Amino acid sequence: MTCERSSEIVVGLFDDQIGKSERAEFEVHVQGCADCQAQVDDARLVQARLIAWQDEPVPSWRRSAMVVPQQESVAWQQRLAFWRWAPLACSFLLAVGVILNVEFRSTTEGFVVAFGQSTGVSREEVREQLTALATSFESRREEESLRMIETVLGNVMRQYDDNNSRNLEQVIEYFDLQRQQDLQLLQSGYQQLADSDYDTIRSVQQLASYVQYQGLQ
Amino acid sequence: MSLKAEEDHLVAEALKGAPYAWESLVRRYEGRVYNFGLRLTGSESDALDLMQEVFIGVYRNLHRFRSESMFSTWLFRIAHNKAIDLMRKNKPHLERSLSDMEGDDVLPPPLVEEEQPLEQLISKQQNAKIRTFLDSLSWEQKLLVELKVFQSHTFEDIAELENISINTVKTRFYTALRKLKKLLESSHDL
C-alpha cells in the first residue's frame, strides 16, 4: 500500500526551509507509516550514495588566460568610448564658442582670443587702419599727379621759353597749338581712310566691269 | 575578516586588475565548478571547457557583482547558465529530455579502468559509478539533483534559478530520487 504523503514526506527531508514543528510532524508520520519509512530510507541511501562523490583534481589550466585579453579589450573599449564622444564634444565647444561669441584674431602683437561681443577698440583699429591706408593712397596719387604736371610743365617750358619769363598764356597757347595739330592729324587720318575706301570701291568696280566684259566675250 | 568580506575584497582587487586576487578567487572555486561540470557532463574535457567558460563569464561580469549576495551564489548562477548553454547549444547529444528517459532503466556500460594510484583509482571508480547513475537521469533531473544534493540550494532558489514553480521542482526531485533508487536496486548497489 502506498501512502499518499510519501512524496511530501521524502521531499520534506531535503527541504531546509520547513519549520521545526512541520519536521517533527513528518517524523511522527514516518514512524507510523511503513511505506513512508521505506521511501525515506531509500532516499537517504541515494543521498548517501551520491554525496560519496570524491572531488577530482582540476587538470592544469591557465587561470589568468582570460585576464590579459580582457584588459586589452577593455583598454580598446575605453579608447573607442573616448573617441565616440569626440564629435559631440567638438559640437559642444563650437556651440559654446558661438553662444559666447568667442573671437580668435591674429595681430601684429600675437594671437588674441576675445569673449563676448567684439570690442569697440578692434573696430576702431580697423577703421584707423583703413583711414591710414586711404590717406596714404591719396597722398601717393597726389604726388604722382604733381610729378606728372611738373614734368609736362618742364617740357613745355624747355620748348617755348628758356628764359625766366614763363607765363600762363604761353602754356595755353602751347596746349591749343597741340590740340589743333592733333585735330589736323585726326582729320588727315580720316581722309586717308576715306580715300583708301574710295580706291577699294573703284578697284571692285573695275574688277566687276572686267568680269562682265570677259563674260560677254 | 569573514569569508564574505574577504571575497568582496578579492573581487574589488581583481576589478582593479590585481592578478593575485583573481587567481585566489579562481583557486577557491575551480574544484567545485570542475566537479559540478564533471557530474553534469560526464566528461573530463567537457567539464574543463565548462569550467573555463564559467570563469570567463565570471571575469567579464565581475563588475556586475553586487556584494549583497554571496560570491559563490553569484558564481554558481553563472555556472548553471553556462551548463545549460553547453548542453543545449554545443553538446546537444548530451541532453536527454524527460520523454527520452521514460522506462529507461538500463545502465550504461562500466568505464574502462586505467593505471592510476590505488586511492585515486578507487575514488575515480566510485565517481564513475555516480556519474553513470546521474547520466541515466534526464538533463533537468540531473541538474536538479546537482543543485539540491551537491550544491545544497533550497527548493526556492532552484525554482528561481530554473524559472519554474517550487511544486514542479519538488515533484521533479522526488521523481529523480525514485529513479535513482530503482537504478541502485537494479545494479545491486544498495
Side-chain angles (χ1 to χ4, degrees):
Chain A
M1 185 180 169
T2 306
C3 178
E4 290 177 352
R5 297 191 66 191
S6 293
S7 63
E8 179 195 1
I9 300 289
V10 170
V11 170
L13 273 177
F14 292 85
D15 195 346
D16 305 321
Q17 290 180 309
I18 61 166
K20 282 183 182 175
S21 59
E22 202 174 356
R23 188 175 292 279
E25 194 268 317
F26 281 175
E27 283 170 4
V28 169
H29 174 85
V30 169
Q31 283 171 1
C33 177
D35 183 48
C36 285
Q37 182 67 62
Q39 288 209 33
V40 165
D41 288 346
D42 289 345
R44 281 183 174 145
L45 277 169
V46 168
Q47 184 187 23
R49 187 73 184 83
L50 290 175
I51 59 175
W53 175 276
Q54 299 284 317
D55 272 359
E56 293 188 18
V58 181
S60 100
W61 70 295
R62 288 182 61 211
R63 293 176 182 83
S64 299
M66 69 288 292
V67 175
V68 175
Q70 200 196 355
Q71 279 177 346
E72 285 173 2
S73 72
V74 166
W76 271 107
Q77 281 172 4
Q78 284 172 348
R79 281 176 213 152
L80 288 174
F82 172 75
W83 286 110
R84 193 176 53 199
W85 292 105
L88 187 65
C90 289
S91 304
F92 177 74
L93 284 174
L94 194 63
V96 168
V98 169
I99 291 166
L100 298 178
N101 198 12
V102 179
E103 189 179 355
F104 300 92
R105 278 187 291 121
S106 176
T107 65
T108 52
E109 295 172 355
F111 195 69
V112 177
V113 181
F115 294 92
Q117 280 198 326
S118 292
T119 57
V121 176
S122 65
R123 287 185 178 176
E124 194 63 34
E125 281 174 0
V126 170
R127 193 175 294 119
E128 280 175 6
Q129 285 176 357
L130 286 173
T131 308
L133 278 170
T135 310
S136 156
F137 181 72
E138 279 176 12
S139 62
R140 201 161 58 239
R141 288 295 301 271
E142 279 176 6
E143 283 173 9
E144 284 174 359
S145 300
L146 280 172
R147 254 198 319 272
M148 190 174 71
I149 290 167
E150 281 173 1
T151 308
V152 169
L153 285 175
N155 288 337
V156 169
M157 293 314 160
R158 269 197 301 277
Q159 282 187 9
Y160 285 90
D161 192 4
D162 289 335
N163 300 324
N164 293 327
S165 59
R166 297 170 184 171
N167 56 52
L168 188 60
E169 286 180 1
Q170 285 176 324
V171 173
I172 292 168
E173 192 182 344
Y174 170 76
F175 276 116
D176 193 39
L177 185 63
Q178 286 294 318
R179 191 175 58 82
Q180 284 176 3
Q181 285 177 354
D182 288 345
L183 278 172
Q184 284 172 359
L185 283 171
L186 193 64
Q187 279 176 349
S188 63
Y190 277 123
Q191 189 58 47
Q192 282 178 357
L193 186 63
D195 292 344
S196 166
D197 287 346
Y198 178 72
D199 289 342
T200 305
I201 291 164
R202 199 167 55 190
S203 300
V204 171
Q205 283 175 342
Q206 283 176 349
L207 182 65
S209 303
Y210 175 74
V211 169
Q212 192 176 16
Y213 174 74
Q214 288 293 327
L216 285 173
Q217 280 187 342
Chain B
M1 190 184 277
S2 69
L3 176 70
K4 178 163 171 40
E6 194 181 335
E7 286 185 347
D8 287 349
H9 174 70
L10 286 172
V11 169
E13 289 298 306
L15 279 170
K16 287 178 192 169
Y20 78 91
W22 170 248
E23 284 223 11
S24 179
L25 283 170
V26 171
R27 282 181 190 280
R28 276 173 191 233
Y29 290 103
E30 64 180 3
R32 277 179 68 184
V33 176
Y34 175 71
N35 281 276
F36 164 84
L38 205 54
R39 286 186 294 264
L40 281 178
T41 64
S43 151
E44 289 176 2
S45 61
D46 286 338
L48 192 59
D49 287 347
L50 177 63
M51 182 189 70
Q52 287 174 341
E53 283 295 314
V54 169
F55 282 108
I56 287 170
V58 168
Y59 189 79
R60 284 184 178 161
N61 292 286
L62 205 55
H63 63 283
R64 291 185 183 151
F65 169 67
R66 298 288 173 265
S67 53
E68 287 90 23
S69 63
M70 290 290 289
F71 180 73
S72 59
T73 309
W74 180 74
L75 183 144
F76 272 95
R77 189 178 293 271
I78 292 174
H80 169 262
N81 293 336
K82 292 288 180 188
I84 289 174
D85 287 348
L86 182 73
M87 297 298 278
R88 291 191 177 161
K89 292 175 186 173
N90 301 335
K91 306 283 180 184
H93 64 281
L94 292 176
E95 186 177 3
R96 303 179 78 186
S97 69
L98 278 168
S99 56
D100 293 339
M101 303 301 295
E102 280 179 11
D104 185 4
D105 292 344
V106 182
L107 288 174
L111 296 175
V112 178
E113 292 178 7
E114 296 170 1
E115 279 189 34
Q116 287 171 332
L118 187 62
E119 281 184 15
Q120 203 175 335
L121 190 66
I122 293 169
S123 172
K124 279 229 170 200
Q125 280 180 334
Q126 188 167 294
N127 285 353
K129 281 182 183 174
I130 295 170
R131 268 155 56 182
T132 306
F133 290 131
L134 288 172
D135 281 347
S136 64
L137 295 175
S138 73
W139 165 245
E140 292 91 345
Q141 288 171 333
K142 201 191 317 189
L143 187 59
L144 197 56
V145 169
E146 172 65 35
L147 294 173
K148 186 65 203 165
V149 177
F150 293 98
Q151 304 301 328
S152 305
H153 281 40
T154 64
F155 286 119
E156 195 179 349
D157 287 344
I158 296 168
E160 192 190 331
L161 207 58
E162 297 281 307
N163 200 24
I164 51 178
S165 71
I166 293 179
N167 281 338
T168 306
V169 172
K170 287 180 176 176
T171 306
R172 280 187 188 176
F173 184 66
Y174 178 72
T175 311
L177 285 179
R178 297 291 296 165
K179 190 170 190 70
L180 285 173
K181 182 249 169 185
K182 232 171 155 182
L183 288 167
L184 286 170
E185 275 180 346
S186 66
S187 68
H188 309 290
D189 210 354
L190 269 175

